[in-house]
Coordinates of all heavy atoms in Angstrom, one line a residue:
M21 N 54.5 110.4 125.6 CA 55.7 110.3 124.7 C 55.4 110.9 123.4 O 54.4 110.8 122.9 CB 56.1 108.9 124.5 CG 57.3 108.5 125.4 SD 57.9 106.9 125.0 CE 56.8 105.9 126.0
S22 N 56.4 111.6 122.9 CA 56.2 112.2 121.6 C 57.5 112.3 120.8 O 58.5 112.7 121.4 CB 55.5 113.6 121.8 OG 56.4 114.4 122.5
A23 N 57.5 111.8 119.7 CA 58.7 111.8 118.9 C 58.9 113.2 118.4 O 58.1 113.8 117.6 CB 58.6 110.9 117.8
R24 N 59.9 113.9 118.9 CA 60.1 115.2 118.4 C 60.9 115.2 117.1 O 62.1 114.9 117.0 CB 61.0 115.9 119.4 CG 60.3 116.1 120.8 CD 61.2 117.0 121.6 NE 60.7 116.9 123.0 CZ 61.4 117.5 124.0 NH1 62.5 118.0 123.8 NH2 60.9 117.4 125.2
A25 N 60.2 115.5 116.1 CA 60.8 115.6 114.8 C 60.7 117.0 114.3 O 60.0 117.3 113.3 CB 60.0 114.6 113.9
R26 N 61.4 117.8 114.9 CA 61.4 119.2 114.5 C 62.2 119.4 113.3 O 63.3 118.8 113.1 CB 61.9 120.1 115.7 CG 61.0 120.2 116.8 CD 61.4 121.3 117.6 NE 62.7 121.1 118.2 CZ 63.3 121.8 119.1 NH1 62.7 122.9 119.5 NH2 64.5 121.6 119.5
Q27 N 61.7 120.2 112.5 CA 62.4 120.5 111.2 C 62.8 122.0 111.3 O 62.1 122.8 110.8 CB 61.6 120.2 110.0 CG 61.4 118.7 109.7 CD 60.7 118.4 108.5 OE1 60.0 119.2 107.9 NE2 60.9 117.1 108.1
G28 N 63.9 122.2 111.9 CA 64.3 123.6 112.1 C 64.6 124.2 110.7 O 65.3 123.4 109.9
P29 N 64.3 125.4 110.5 CA 64.6 126.1 109.2 C 66.2 126.2 109.1 O 66.8 126.7 110.0 CB 63.9 127.4 109.2 CG 63.6 127.6 110.7 CD 63.5 126.2 111.3
G30 N 66.7 125.8 107.9 CA 68.1 126.0 107.8 C 69.0 124.8 108.4 O 70.1 124.8 108.2
K31 N 68.3 124.0 109.1 CA 69.0 122.9 109.7 C 69.2 121.7 108.6 O 68.3 121.3 107.9 CB 68.3 122.3 110.9 CG 68.6 123.2 112.1 CD 69.2 122.4 113.2 CE 69.6 123.3 114.3 NZ 70.3 122.5 115.3
I32 N 70.4 121.2 108.6 CA 70.6 120.2 107.6 C 70.4 118.8 108.2 O 71.0 118.5 109.3 CB 72.1 120.3 107.0 CG1 72.3 121.7 106.4 CG2 72.3 119.2 106.0 CD1 73.7 121.9 105.9
G33 N 69.6 118.0 107.6 CA 69.4 116.7 108.1 C 70.5 115.7 107.8 O 71.5 116.1 107.1
K34 N 70.2 114.6 108.3 CA 71.3 113.6 108.0 C 71.5 113.3 106.5 O 72.5 113.1 106.0 CB 70.9 112.2 108.7 CG 71.7 111.9 109.8 CD 71.6 110.5 110.2 CE 70.6 110.4 111.4 NZ 70.4 109.0 111.8
A35 N 70.3 113.3 105.8 CA 70.3 112.9 104.4 C 71.2 114.0 103.6 O 71.8 113.6 102.6 CB 69.0 112.9 103.8
A36 N 71.2 115.2 104.1 CA 71.9 116.2 103.3 C 73.3 116.4 103.8 O 74.0 117.2 103.3 CB 71.2 117.5 103.4
A37 N 73.7 115.6 104.8 CA 75.1 115.7 105.3 C 76.1 115.4 104.2 O 75.9 114.5 103.4 CB 75.3 114.7 106.4
R38 N 77.1 116.3 104.2 CA 78.1 116.1 103.2 C 78.9 114.8 103.4 O 79.5 114.6 104.5 CB 79.1 117.3 103.2 CG 78.6 118.4 102.3 CD 79.7 119.4 102.1 NE 79.8 120.3 103.1 CZ 80.8 121.2 103.2 NH1 81.7 121.2 102.3 NH2 80.9 122.1 104.1
R39 N 79.0 114.0 102.4 CA 79.8 112.8 102.5 C 81.1 113.0 101.7 O 81.0 113.3 100.6 CB 79.1 111.6 101.9 CG 77.9 111.2 102.8 CD 77.5 109.8 102.4 NE 78.4 108.9 102.9 CZ 78.1 107.6 103.0 NH1 76.9 107.2 102.6 NH2 78.9 106.7 103.4
P40 N 82.2 112.9 102.4 CA 83.4 113.1 101.7 C 83.6 112.1 100.6 O 83.2 110.9 100.8 CB 84.5 112.9 102.8 CG 83.8 112.3 103.9 CD 82.4 112.6 103.8
K41 N 84.2 112.5 99.6 CA 84.4 111.6 98.4 C 85.8 111.2 98.2 O 86.7 111.9 98.6 CB 83.9 112.3 97.2 CG 82.3 112.5 97.2 CD 81.8 113.0 95.9 CE 80.3 113.1 95.9 NZ 79.8 113.8 94.7
C42 N 86.0 110.1 97.5 CA 87.3 109.7 97.2 C 88.0 110.6 96.2 O 87.3 111.0 95.3 CB 87.2 108.3 96.6 SG 88.7 107.7 95.9
P43 N 89.1 111.1 96.6 CA 89.8 112.1 95.7 C 90.3 111.5 94.4 O 90.6 112.3 93.5 CB 91.0 112.5 96.5 CG 91.3 111.4 97.5 CD 89.9 110.8 97.8
L44 N 90.2 110.2 94.3 CA 90.7 109.6 93.0 C 89.6 109.4 92.1 O 89.7 109.7 90.9 CB 91.4 108.3 93.3 CG 92.8 108.5 94.1 CD1 93.5 107.1 94.2 CD2 93.6 109.4 93.4
C45 N 88.5 108.8 92.6 CA 87.4 108.5 91.6 C 86.1 109.2 91.9 O 85.2 109.1 91.1 CB 87.2 107.0 91.6 SG 86.6 106.3 93.1
G46 N 86.0 109.8 93.1 CA 84.8 110.5 93.4 C 83.7 109.7 94.0 O 82.6 110.2 94.3
K47 N 84.0 108.5 94.3 CA 82.9 107.7 95.0 C 83.0 108.0 96.5 O 83.9 108.5 97.0 CB 83.3 106.2 94.8 CG 83.0 105.8 93.4 CD 83.4 104.3 93.3 CE 83.2 103.8 91.8 NZ 83.7 102.4 91.7
P48 N 81.9 107.7 97.2 CA 81.9 108.0 98.6 C 83.0 107.2 99.3 O 83.3 106.1 99.0 CB 80.5 107.5 99.0 CG 79.7 107.5 97.8 CD 80.6 107.2 96.6
Q49 N 83.5 107.9 100.3 CA 84.6 107.3 101.0 C 84.1 106.0 101.8 O 83.1 106.0 102.3 CB 85.3 108.2 101.9 CG 85.9 109.3 101.3 CD 86.6 110.3 102.3 OE1 86.5 110.0 103.5 NE2 87.2 111.3 101.8
A50 N 85.1 105.1 101.9 CA 84.8 103.9 102.7 C 85.5 104.2 104.1 O 86.6 104.7 104.1 CB 85.3 102.7 102.1
H51 N 84.8 103.8 105.1 CA 85.3 104.0 106.4 C 86.7 103.4 106.6 O 87.6 104.0 107.2 CB 84.3 103.4 107.5 CG 84.8 103.7 108.9 ND1 84.6 104.9 109.5 CD2 85.4 102.9 109.8 CE1 85.1 104.9 110.7 NE2 85.6 103.7 110.9
D52 N 86.8 102.2 106.1 CA 88.1 101.5 106.3 C 89.3 102.1 105.4 O 90.5 101.9 105.8 CB 88.0 100.1 105.9 CG 87.2 99.3 107.0 OD1 87.0 100.0 108.1 OD2 86.7 98.2 106.8
Y53 N 88.9 102.8 104.4 CA 90.0 103.2 103.5 C 90.0 104.8 103.3 O 90.4 105.3 102.3 CB 89.8 102.6 102.1 CG 89.9 101.1 102.2 CD1 88.7 100.3 102.1 CD2 91.1 100.5 102.5 CE1 88.8 98.9 102.2 CE2 91.2 99.1 102.7 CZ 90.0 98.3 102.5 OH 90.1 97.0 102.6
R54 N 89.4 105.5 104.3 CA 89.5 107.0 104.2 C 90.9 107.4 103.9 O 91.9 106.9 104.5 CB 89.0 107.6 105.5 CG 87.5 107.5 105.6 CD 87.0 108.1 106.8 NE 87.6 107.4 107.9 CZ 87.4 107.9 109.3 NH1 86.8 109.0 109.4 NH2 88.0 107.2 110.2
P55 N 91.1 108.5 103.1 CA 90.0 109.2 102.4 C 89.6 108.6 101.1 O 89.1 109.3 100.3 CB 90.6 110.5 102.3 CG 92.1 110.2 101.9 CD 92.4 109.0 102.8
F56 N 89.9 107.3 101.0 CA 89.5 106.7 99.7 C 88.3 105.8 99.7 O 87.8 105.6 100.9 CB 90.7 105.9 99.2 CG 92.0 106.7 99.1 CD1 92.9 106.5 100.1 CD2 92.1 107.7 98.1 CE1 94.1 107.3 100.1 CE2 93.3 108.4 98.1 CZ 94.3 108.3 99.0
C57 N 87.8 105.4 98.6 CA 86.6 104.6 98.6 C 86.8 103.1 98.7 O 85.9 102.4 99.1 CB 85.9 104.9 97.3 SG 86.7 104.2 95.9
S58 N 88.0 102.7 98.5 CA 88.3 101.3 98.4 C 89.8 101.1 98.6 O 90.6 102.0 98.4 CB 87.7 100.7 97.2 OG 88.5 101.1 96.1
K59 N 90.2 99.8 98.8 CA 91.6 99.5 98.9 C 92.2 99.8 97.5 O 93.4 100.2 97.5 CB 91.7 98.0 99.2 CG 93.2 97.7 99.5 CD 93.2 96.2 100.0 CE 94.6 95.8 100.5 NZ 95.7 96.1 99.5
H60 N 91.5 99.6 96.5 CA 92.0 99.9 95.2 C 92.5 101.3 95.0 O 93.7 101.5 94.7 CB 90.9 99.6 94.1 CG 91.4 99.8 92.7 ND1 92.2 99.0 92.1 CD2 91.1 100.8 91.9 CE1 92.4 99.4 90.9 NE2 91.8 100.5 90.7
C61 N 91.7 102.3 95.4 CA 92.2 103.6 95.2 C 93.3 104.0 96.3 O 94.2 104.7 96.0 CB 90.9 104.6 95.5 SG 89.9 104.7 94.0
A62 N 93.1 103.3 97.5 CA 94.2 103.6 98.5 C 95.5 103.1 97.9 O 96.6 103.7 98.1 CB 93.8 103.0 99.7
D63 N 95.5 102.0 97.2 CA 96.7 101.4 96.7 C 97.3 102.3 95.6 O 98.5 102.5 95.5 CB 96.5 100.0 96.2 CG 96.4 99.0 97.3 OD1 96.8 99.4 98.5 OD2 96.0 97.8 97.1
I64 N 96.4 102.8 94.8 CA 96.8 103.6 93.7 C 97.6 104.8 94.3 O 98.7 105.2 93.9 CB 95.7 104.1 92.9 CG1 95.1 102.9 92.1 CG2 96.1 105.2 91.9 CD1 93.8 103.3 91.4
D65 N 96.9 105.5 95.3 CA 97.6 106.7 95.9 C 98.9 106.3 96.5 O 99.9 107.0 96.3 CB 96.6 107.3 96.9 CG 97.1 108.6 97.3 OD1 97.0 109.6 96.5 OD2 97.6 108.8 98.5
L66 N 98.9 105.2 97.2 CA 100.1 104.8 97.9 C 101.2 104.5 96.9 O 102.3 104.9 97.1 CB 99.9 103.5 98.7 CG 101.0 103.0 99.5 CD1 101.5 104.0 100.5 CD2 100.8 101.7 100.1
G67 N 100.8 103.9 95.8 CA 101.8 103.6 94.7 C 102.5 104.9 94.1 O 103.6 104.9 93.8
R68 N 101.6 105.9 94.1 CA 102.1 107.1 93.5 C 103.2 107.7 94.5 O 104.3 108.2 94.0 CB 101.0 108.2 93.4 CG 100.2 107.9 92.2 CD 99.1 109.0 92.1 NE 98.1 108.6 91.1 CZ 97.1 109.4 90.9 NH1 96.8 110.4 91.6 NH2 96.1 109.0 90.0
W69 N 102.9 107.6 95.7 CA 103.9 108.1 96.7 C 105.2 107.3 96.5 O 106.3 107.9 96.6 CB 103.3 108.0 98.1 CG 102.4 109.1 98.4 CD1 101.1 109.2 98.5 CD2 102.9 110.5 98.7 NE1 100.7 110.4 98.8 CE2 101.7 111.3 99.0 CE3 104.1 111.1 98.9 CZ2 101.7 112.6 99.3 CZ3 104.1 112.5 99.3 CH2 102.9 113.2 99.5
L70 N 105.0 106.0 96.5 CA 106.2 105.2 96.5 C 107.0 105.4 95.2 O 108.2 105.3 95.1 CB 105.8 103.7 96.6 CG 105.2 103.4 98.0 CD1 104.9 101.9 98.0 CD2 106.2 103.7 99.1
D71 N 106.3 105.7 94.1 CA 107.0 105.9 92.8 C 107.7 107.3 92.9 O 108.5 107.6 92.0 CB 106.0 105.9 91.7 CG 105.8 104.4 91.3 OD1 106.4 103.6 91.9 OD2 105.0 104.2 90.3
G72 N 107.3 108.1 93.7 CA 108.0 109.5 93.8 C 107.4 110.4 92.7 O 108.1 111.3 92.3
R73 N 106.1 110.1 92.4 CA 105.6 111.0 91.4 C 105.0 112.2 92.0 O 104.5 113.1 91.3 CB 104.5 110.3 90.7 CG 105.1 109.2 89.7 CD 104.0 108.5 89.0 NE 104.5 107.2 88.5 CZ 103.7 106.2 88.1 NH1 102.4 106.4 88.1 NH2 104.1 105.1 87.7
Y74 N 104.8 112.2 93.3 CA 104.2 113.4 94.0 C 105.2 114.4 94.3 O 105.4 114.9 95.3 CB 103.6 112.9 95.3 CG 102.2 112.5 95.1 CD1 101.6 112.4 93.8 CD2 101.4 112.0 96.1 CE1 100.3 112.0 93.6 CE2 100.1 111.6 95.9 CZ 99.5 111.6 94.7 OH 98.3 111.1 94.5
V75 N 105.9 114.8 93.3 CA 106.9 115.9 93.5 C 106.3 117.2 93.0 O 105.6 117.2 92.0 CB 108.2 115.7 92.7 CG1 109.0 114.5 93.4 CG2 107.9 115.2 91.3
V76 N 106.6 118.3 93.6 CA 106.2 119.6 93.3 C 106.8 120.0 91.9 O 108.0 120.0 91.8 CB 106.5 120.6 94.4 CG1 105.9 122.0 93.9 CG2 105.9 120.1 95.7
P77 N 106.0 120.3 91.0 CA 106.5 120.6 89.6 C 107.3 122.0 89.8 O 106.9 122.9 90.5 CB 105.3 120.9 88.8 CG 104.1 120.3 89.5 CD 104.5 120.2 91.0
G78 N 108.4 122.0 89.2 CA 109.3 123.2 89.2 C 110.2 123.2 90.3 O 111.2 123.9 90.3
E79 N 110.0 122.3 91.3 CA 111.0 122.3 92.4 C 111.6 121.0 92.4 O 111.2 120.0 93.0 CB 110.2 122.5 93.7 CG 111.1 122.9 94.8 CD 110.3 123.4 96.0 OE1 109.2 124.0 95.8 OE2 110.7 123.2 97.1
K80 N 112.7 120.9 91.7 CA 113.4 119.6 91.6 C 114.2 119.4 92.8 O 114.4 120.2 93.7 CB 114.3 119.6 90.4 CG 113.4 119.8 89.1 CD 114.3 119.4 87.8 CE 113.4 119.4 86.6 NZ 114.2 119.1 85.4
V81 N 114.7 118.1 92.9 CA 115.5 117.8 94.0 C 116.7 118.6 94.1 O 117.4 118.9 93.0 CB 115.9 116.3 93.9 CG1 116.7 115.8 95.1 CG2 114.7 115.4 93.8
A82 N 117.1 119.0 95.2 CA 118.2 119.9 95.4 C 119.5 119.2 94.9 O 119.7 118.0 95.2 CB 118.4 120.3 96.9
K83 N 120.2 120.0 94.2 CA 121.5 119.4 93.6 C 122.6 119.3 94.7 O 122.5 120.0 95.7 CB 122.1 120.3 92.5 CG 121.2 120.1 91.3 CD 121.9 120.8 90.1 CE 121.7 122.3 90.3 NZ 122.2 123.1 89.1
D84 N 123.4 118.4 94.5 CA 124.5 118.3 95.4 C 125.4 119.5 95.4 O 126.0 119.9 94.2 CB 125.4 117.0 95.1 CG 124.7 115.8 95.7 OD1 123.6 115.9 96.3 OD2 125.2 114.7 95.5
E85 N 125.7 120.1 96.5 CA 126.5 121.2 96.5 C 127.8 120.9 97.3 O 128.2 121.7 98.1 CB 125.8 122.4 97.0 CG 124.7 122.9 96.2 CD 124.0 124.1 96.7 OE1 124.7 125.0 97.2 OE2 122.7 124.2 96.7
S86 N 128.2 119.7 97.1 CA 129.4 119.3 97.9 C 130.7 119.9 97.5 O 131.4 120.6 98.2 CB 129.5 117.8 97.9 OG 129.5 117.3 96.6
D87 N 130.9 119.8 96.2 CA 132.2 120.4 95.6 C 132.0 121.8 95.3 O 131.7 122.2 94.2 CB 132.6 119.6 94.4 CG 133.0 118.1 94.8 OD1 133.5 118.0 95.8 OD2 132.7 117.3 93.9
D88 N 132.1 122.6 96.3 CA 131.9 124.0 96.1 C 133.0 124.9 96.6 O 132.9 125.9 97.2 CB 130.6 124.5 96.8 CG 130.0 125.7 96.1 OD1 130.5 126.0 94.9 OD2 129.1 126.4 96.6
G89 N 134.2 124.3 96.4 CA 135.4 125.1 96.8 C 135.4 125.2 98.3 O 135.5 126.4 98.8
D90 N 135.4 124.3 99.0 CA 135.4 124.4 100.4 C 136.8 124.2 101.1 O 137.0 124.3 102.2 CB 134.4 123.5 101.0 CG 134.1 123.8 102.5 OD1 134.1 125.0 102.8 OD2 133.9 122.9 103.3
R91 N 137.7 123.8 100.2 CA 139.0 123.5 100.8 C 140.1 124.6 100.3 O 139.9 125.0 99.2 CB 139.4 122.1 100.4 CG 139.4 121.9 98.9 CD 139.9 120.4 98.6 NE 139.3 120.0 97.3 CZ 139.7 118.8 96.8 NH1 140.5 118.0 97.4 NH2 139.2 118.4 95.7
Q92 N 141.1 124.7 101.0 CA 142.1 125.7 100.7 C 143.3 125.0 100.1 O 143.7 124.1 100.7 CB 142.5 126.5 101.8 CG 141.3 127.3 102.4 CD 141.7 128.0 103.7 OE1 142.7 127.6 104.3 NE2 141.0 129.0 104.1
A93 N 143.7 125.5 99.0 CA 144.8 124.8 98.3 C 146.1 125.5 98.8 O 146.3 126.6 98.6 CB 144.8 124.9 96.8
Ligands
ZN122 ZN1 88.0 105.7 94.7

């Protein structure tokens, strides 16, 4: 028996594996709250969505174009 511990050149080990970080605070993500690090950050993000703050700047809500002369007098 022999433990094969090859260190291939250019191979990235576990230690160097990229760990995704929380987009809000930069801490390592928690499995249960991906992509966030904790319930706290997950709640913050969710709250933003619910508040409607995640709107694209410059692209406002479409105006009502109901009264646009659609009837004939
Ligand atoms: Zn976080």
Side-chain angles (χ1 to χ4, degrees):
M21 256 187 280
S22 60
R24 293 187 194 172
R26 285 195 301 184
Q27 288 184 342
K31 282 237 169 185
I32 302 176
K34 251 195 264 180
R38 271 197 274 173
R39 291 196 72 166
K41 292 183 178 179
C42 171
L44 291 186
C45 69
K47 290 180 185 175
Q49 290 181 4
H51 183 77
D52 287 345
Y53 299 109
R54 283 180 300 173
F56 306 105
C57 68
S58 63
K59 189 174 186 303
H60 180 71
C61 282
D63 280 349
I64 292 176
D65 191 70
L66 180 65
R68 286 184 189 173
W69 279 103
L70 293 180
D71 274 1
R73 289 181 201 162
Y74 272 0
V75 287
V76 182
E79 196 167 328
K80 295 193 175 180
V81 181
K83 285 188 288 186
D84 278 1
E85 295 181 40
S86 48
D87 293 328
D88 206 14
D90 193 35
R91 54 178 158 178
Q92 298 172 341

